[in-house]
Amino acid sequence: MVQKYQSPVRAYKYPFEMVMAAYEKRFPTCPLIPVFLGSEVLSDVTSDDGSVRIIERSCKLSVDAPRLLKKIAGVEYVYFIQKNTLNWRDRSLLIEAHNETFANRVIVLETCCYRVHPDNEDWTCFEQCASLDIKSFFGFESTVEKIAMKQYTANIKRGKEVIEYYLNELMQEGITEIPRWVPTEQRPLNSDPSSFTSTPSCSALTRPNPRTQLHLDLSSPGNSSRDVTSFSADSSEPSTPDADKLDADYIERYLGQLTPMQESCLIRLRAWLQENHKGKSETGEWKAEKIPKDEHILRFLRARDFHLEKARDMLCQSLTWRKQFQVDYILETWTPSSCLVEYYAGGWHHHDREGRPLYILRLGQMDTKGLVKALGEEALLRHVLSINEEGQKRCEENTNIFGRPISWPYHLGCLTCWWLSHLLEVASPVGGCLTCWRLPHLCRSWTCLVDLEGLNMRHLWRPGVKTLLRIIEVVEANYPETLGRLLIVRAPRVFPVLWTLVSPFINENTRQKFLVYSGNNYQGPGGLVDYIDQEIIPDFLGGDCLCHVSEGGQVPKSYYQTEEDLDNPDHIRLWADTIYQSAQVFKGAPHEIMIEIVEGSSVITWDFDILKGDVVFNIFHSKRTPQPVKRETSGSAPVVNNMQLIDRSWTLGVDYSMVESPLTCREGESIQGSHITRWPGIYILQWKATGHAPSSGPSLSRVDDVLASLQGSTPRCKVLYYTEVLASNDFRGSMSSLESCHSRFSQLSVGTTSSNQSQGSSLISR
């Protein structure tokens, strides 16, 4: 497996010429970089006007590895070839490095770039990309990879410290400004040549960058020429990064302290979303859609322990889910019923000691059976989703109110902040650290206080537990790392039974945030007062604050829904107002929908996501009116949406004809396209399963999968789709916007290949 690294943009608040002078001072020896043992110049070429100098060197590096491994490999040192291209005219330095030792077994590549900040010409930016690909290494591939990654990440941030060390040394020597390079023809006559930078000594520029010391690849040198993070030219404080890059200071201040590899995962996932999360405008041109916020992306990375592929899969599935169910609008569209308001014993209640919004749930006082019978599983799930959305909204509001970190009261090691926080008698200085002005962990999570007094065996009613498991499953999959802490108080003896049922559906990272108090153990030191101020603890738990959360109680049977109500098609469903429909595709049973076209030259448009398995998408024109055949379900099996329209007796080319070339769609892909009809009549859109086995799902158990496995006939593929027919004279887009395309917004890991369709005008975005 190839290990990759992409750095954020690191800024030096010094001119490019000063940074280059500091870079040169690191050589010929540098005690701050003990891993670098020496180098030999292989070539040194300077342009005629002196504006460009290219130096190539062989660099000798020591390796911090077990002696046994060194003995097996037969080496004590490794050699890298480093090529430095210094351009005084453009004020940039490009560093490219690759390994010479074991080049046939290990491929190490790195590219670094120093250049002028785009918004402040007196600042210098630095970026690097790297990769490590170990093809074979005497059976120690995994060990070598771990050693290489450990040694590399240990030296990444050290490189900036080295530059800043020598910048300070330059200023101590009285050098605070170095003139820029000027072409000879532009220099004033009779001027002092020493007042201009022509081709200053660049020998040091060819010495290995301290960050290249062991392994490194990189996208391409062209990546280093893109615009970097936006800064205010007249301020030393960084502004919010632009859509292209993330700045290292921005990450540290507003997203938290991340390791170099965690920063790399965030940047790479963000870049992938920017590249693939695209749609079409009415003019038919590609436009970038709004991607999730950086803290939202980071939550999914944390939930998967910064495993990039797993986090990408989880995030893409969640984005598809939000799109399908229109969750972004749930706070505007969802109004809880009077039954929920009166008998759902949960509500928001101030905040905890760290500024997190506090939600109180009196689960033991709720009639879970009555709520399920009165409202149904879907309404309860929607209500819980609205709570989570409200929680995220309150997190942002609390961040603005407190304007401070929530995980640490002051920056580690900052004694000034510690002293001021105690002097002012506040949990932490408002605005963050008063010395370094860092905001490492803004309010991105909330605290939940669950009171289990009254919990008994009636709460273990099977349909109620099933509803609880479904809610946990949805929340875990789509709101990771939003729960800062879960405080469970007055847990009764029946609690272990409930915990045994629900804990397998809760992620390990989430379980570690649970604190359980039985009896009255929550009172006094070590209890709730450690996490919630005494004046905020609810009165029913012995606190000083009057709590307005509903007390729950038994739901009157007059609220219960009858069987007729449940069977009514107008009965509330979780996503009754969604424009998308879901369908299941079985082996030998495709899903087909019929579209009747009254006039020719109409436009059939479609937008669908492949949620599970691989399918082949076809469009047919039928000369006959099909008789729908719906897949029947037996017993207690859930209703599935699967329809066949093309009769087995029909002959292709006689009874119906294919109007588009088949399009193979892989799991995770998002497909948008359209077809201009030639004739009126019946058109059939078909999704048919291919021979490929569906991809494996998440590691945690899923309620749907467990139930489906018990019922026997599981769908091979799942599709989420939306179709619409437009009259050609009403279609405002250009003809190019009618082209079929892969947006790959929700594509998880599979690649795509181009194919011709829609009258030869198919387009696939990569």
Side-chain angles (χ1 to χ4, degrees):
M1 180 178 177
V2 179
Q3 294 289 342
K4 295 184 178 181
Y5 172 76
Q6 170 66 59
S7 77
V9 179
R10 306 191 189 279
Y12 299 94
K13 299 172 185 178
Y14 299 93
F16 176 78
E17 289 72 22
M18 284 287 291
V19 174
M20 290 299 98
Y23 186 87
E24 186 174 355
K25 283 183 68 69
R26 300 188 308 175
F27 307 95
T29 59
C30 180
L32 300 177
I33 314 175
V35 71
F36 175 67
L37 302 179
S39 63
E40 177 185 354
V41 176
L42 302 179
S43 65
D44 188 347
V45 180
T46 303
S47 63
D48 294 338
D49 62 356
S51 63
V52 179
R53 188 177 185 183
I54 302 175
I55 301 180
E56 188 171 327
R57 291 196 174 215
S58 174
C59 306
K60 182 180 179 181
L61 308 176
S62 65
V63 180
D64 183 13
R67 184 164 185 81
L68 177 61
L69 183 59
K70 291 183 179 180
K71 188 173 182 180
I72 293 175
V75 296
E76 289 288 336
Y77 316 105
V78 294
Y79 292 85
F80 277 75
I81 301 299
Q82 189 184 63
K83 177 183 177 182
N84 289 1
T85 303
L86 175 63
N87 190 320
W88 290 111
R89 185 187 302 274
D90 296 340
R91 302 177 74 194
S92 66
L93 172 65
L94 178 65
I95 306 171
E96 300 169 284
H98 66 274
N99 63 306
E100 186 178 27
T101 306
F102 299 118
N104 61 332
R105 295 178 178 273
V106 180
I107 299 176
V108 177
L109 301 172
E110 183 189 49
T111 297
C112 305
C113 182
Y114 290 89
R115 63 179 177 275
V116 178
H117 196 287
D119 295 331
N120 190 332
E121 62 180 12
D122 291 329
W123 287 5
T124 304
C125 291
F126 173 80
E127 277 187 276
Q128 70 187 100
C129 304
S131 73
L132 169 67
D133 184 8
I134 301 179
K135 299 184 179 299
S136 64
F137 203 85
F138 312 106
F140 292 92
E141 291 81 11
S142 178
T143 302
V144 172
E145 180 179 290
K146 291 179 180 178
I147 292 174
M149 296 301 295
K150 180 180 179 181
Q151 190 165 357
Y152 181 57
T153 54
N155 287 284
I156 286 177
K157 291 189 176 180
R158 190 177 180 184
K160 183 176 181 180
E161 297 172 359
V162 172
I163 292 291
E164 291 177 340
Y165 173 85
Y166 285 114
L167 282 168
N168 292 330
E169 190 174 276
L170 282 172
M171 288 185 287
Q172 290 174 4
E173 295 173 0
I175 302 175
T176 58
E177 183 179 359
I178 299 178
R180 298 181 186 178
W181 180 88
V182 177
T184 304
E185 61 274 11
Q186 296 181 13
R187 299 178 187 175
L189 296 176
N190 302 323
S191 61
D192 182 3
S194 63
S195 64
F196 298 95
T197 303
S198 56
T199 55
S201 174
C202 301
S203 59
L205 297 179
T206 62
R207 287 201 53 188
N209 187 301
R211 309 159 201 248
T212 62
Q213 287 136 5
L214 201 51
H215 57 310
L216 312 130
D217 151 15
L218 122 90
S219 321
S220 66
N223 289 342
S224 299
S225 64
R226 293 179 293 179
D227 291 341
V228 297
T229 304
S230 173
F231 278 76
S232 173
D234 58 354
S235 170
S236 62
E237 296 302 318
S239 61
T240 302
D242 61 21
D244 245 353
K245 298 292 181 67
L246 284 182
D247 174 73
D249 288 341
Y250 166 82
I251 292 176
E252 185 174 358
R253 295 184 187 192
Y254 302 112
L255 300 180
Q257 296 281 356
L258 303 179
T259 67
M261 294 310 297
Q262 289 174 346
E263 290 178 340
S264 176
C265 288
L266 173 62
I267 293 169
R268 289 168 60 196
L269 181 53
R270 189 176 185 268
W272 185 89
L273 288 170
Q274 289 172 340
E275 179 183 354
N276 296 287
H277 193 98
K278 295 179 179 180
K280 277 195 172 184
S281 64
E282 290 186 351
T283 61
E285 297 180 353
W286 287 103
K287 64 177 181 179
E289 297 181 4
K290 185 178 180 181
I291 67 171
K293 295 180 180 179
D294 298 326
E295 55 267 26
H296 187 81
I297 300 174
L298 188 59
R299 286 196 287 107
F300 283 84
L301 284 167
R302 292 187 187 277
R304 290 296 177 261
D305 295 322
F306 286 90
H307 189 291
L308 187 60
E309 298 299 324
K310 293 180 180 179
R312 185 177 69 177
D313 290 358
M314 184 182 184
L315 176 57
C316 289
Q317 290 177 16
S318 179
L319 292 176
T320 302
W321 173 81
R322 296 185 72 89
K323 173 184 175 182
Q324 173 188 0
F325 300 144
Q326 303 181 44
V327 179
D328 291 336
Y329 308 103
I330 195 168
L331 291 180
E332 304 169 9
T333 59
W334 171 247
T335 302
S337 64
S338 58
C339 180
L340 268 175
V341 172
E342 186 173 356
Y343 296 102
Y344 188 88
W348 295 100
H349 179 80
H350 301 287
H351 55 81
D352 67 6
R353 283 183 175 271
E354 295 175 330
R356 295 188 181 101
L358 176 62
Y359 189 84
I360 293 180
L361 182 65
R362 305 186 68 177
L363 184 60
Q365 302 299 314
M366 282 202 301
D367 179 10
T368 54
K369 182 176 182 179
L371 288 173
V372 172
K373 282 185 170 291
L375 302 168
E377 177 183 317
E378 305 294 345
L380 285 173
L381 179 53
R382 171 175 280 190
H383 186 61
V384 172
L385 294 183
S386 70
I387 293 172
N388 279 271
E389 292 294 313
E390 176 70 18
Q392 294 305 292
K393 181 180 178 181
R394 287 175 177 263
C395 284
E396 295 180 4
E397 293 174 352
N398 280 23
T399 294
N400 296 330
I401 293 173
F402 292 96
R404 62 174 175 81
I406 62 170
S407 294
W408 294 102
Y410 46 83
H411 187 57
L412 290 177
C414 182
L415 296 180
T416 304
C417 274
W418 179 87
W419 179 77
L420 285 174
S421 66
H422 285 269
L423 179 66
L424 300 175
E425 295 183 350
V426 295
S428 64
V430 176
C433 177
L434 297 181
T435 299
C436 56
W437 295 99
R438 289 190 173 120
L439 296 175
H441 296 284
L442 294 183
C443 186
R444 296 187 298 267
S445 58
W446 45 284
T447 295
C448 185
L449 173 60
V450 181
D451 179 19
L452 295 184
E453 185 184 45
L455 186 75
N456 53 44
M457 292 303 294
R458 67 182 173 85
H459 288 89
L460 301 183
W461 179 56
R462 185 172 179 179
V465 173
K466 175 179 175 290
T467 300
L468 178 61
L469 296 180
R470 175 67 60 84
I471 291 173
I472 291 174
E473 179 188 5
V474 172
V475 172
E476 280 287 299
N478 298 284
Y479 299 93
E481 298 298 311
T482 56
L483 181 65
R485 182 176 291 113
L486 183 77
L487 303 171
I488 301 176
V489 298
R490 301 199 282 194
R493 298 179 64 180
V494 74
F495 172 72
V497 180
L498 179 62
W499 177 249
T500 301
L501 293 173
V502 303
S503 61
F505 292 87
I506 302 176
N507 184 274
E508 177 62 29
N509 291 340
T510 304
R511 289 202 295 266
Q512 293 177 356
K513 301 174 184 178
F514 283 41
L515 292 173
V516 182
Y517 298 93
S518 61
N520 295 324
N521 292 339
Y522 66 91
Q523 298 177 346
L528 291 183
V529 291
D530 286 6
Y531 307 101
I532 305 173
D533 291 329
Q534 180 65 34
E535 59 269 19
I536 291 180
I537 295 178
D539 52 350
F540 62 85
L541 292 178
D544 302 330
C545 187
L546 179 63
C547 182
H548 298 286
V549 174
S550 170
E551 296 183 0
Q554 188 171 1
V555 178
K557 292 187 177 181
S558 59
Y559 280 107
Y560 285 13
Q561 296 174 343
T562 64
E563 294 297 329
E564 291 75 13
D565 293 333
L566 297 175
D567 294 335
N568 189 337
D570 295 329
H571 173 67
I572 182 172
R573 298 298 178 191
L574 180 58
W575 314 122
D577 51 351
T578 180
I579 61 175
Y580 290 86
Q581 300 184 57
S582 62
Q584 292 78 33
V585 181
F586 299 82
K587 183 177 181 181
H591 178 69
E592 298 164 342
I593 62 174
M594 179 176 65
I595 298 177
E596 184 174 3
I597 300 298
V598 179
E599 58 179 306
S601 298
S602 296
V603 181
I604 302 175
T605 65
W606 57 81
D607 180 359
F608 61 89
D609 291 329
I610 311 301
L611 304 181
K612 176 182 178 183
D614 300 339
V615 303
V616 175
F617 177 66
N618 287 297
I619 308 176
F620 303 99
H621 178 261
S622 174
K623 298 179 181 179
R624 303 172 59 178
T625 302
Q627 298 297 322
V629 178
K630 192 170 184 179
R631 181 181 177 89
E632 298 293 334
T633 57
S634 58
S636 60
V639 178
V640 298
N641 184 16
N642 180 268
M643 184 81 68
Q644 289 91 53
L645 300 174
I646 300 177
D647 193 270
R648 295 180 181 272
S649 62
W650 288 11
T651 303
L652 182 63
V654 177
D655 300 296
Y656 67 107
S657 58
M658 185 179 296
V659 296
E660 293 277 3
S661 299
L663 178 64
T664 300
C665 310
R666 305 300 183 190
E667 179 175 317
E669 287 185 346
S670 180
I671 315 297
Q672 300 86 34
S674 55
H675 172 76
I676 304 176
T677 62
R678 286 189 176 183
W679 319 278
I682 303 298
Y683 285 79
I684 298 175
L685 275 58
Q686 179 193 75
W687 291 269
K688 180 173 64 176
T690 67
H692 300 284
S695 303
S696 58
S699 58
L700 291 177
S701 305
R702 299 184 67 253
V703 175
D704 285 339
D705 293 340
V706 174
L707 295 176
S709 64
L710 296 176
Q711 292 152 3
S713 180
T714 59
R716 189 180 186 88
C717 309
K718 292 183 180 180
V719 180
L720 173 70
Y721 67 92
Y722 166 71
T723 63
E724 186 177 7
V725 178
L726 304 172
S728 58
N729 57 351
D730 293 335
F731 193 80
R732 294 173 293 177
S734 66
M735 294 303 294
S736 61
S737 66
L738 299 180
E739 298 170 353
S740 297
C741 59
H742 286 247
S743 74
R744 248 190 66 174
F745 141 63
S746 61
Q747 184 165 342
L748 306 183
S749 58
V750 294
T752 57
T753 57
S754 60
S755 62
N756 296 323
Q757 68 161 24
S758 288
Q759 301 174 3
S761 59
S762 180
L763 174 65
I764 295 182
S765 168
R766 296 183 184 278

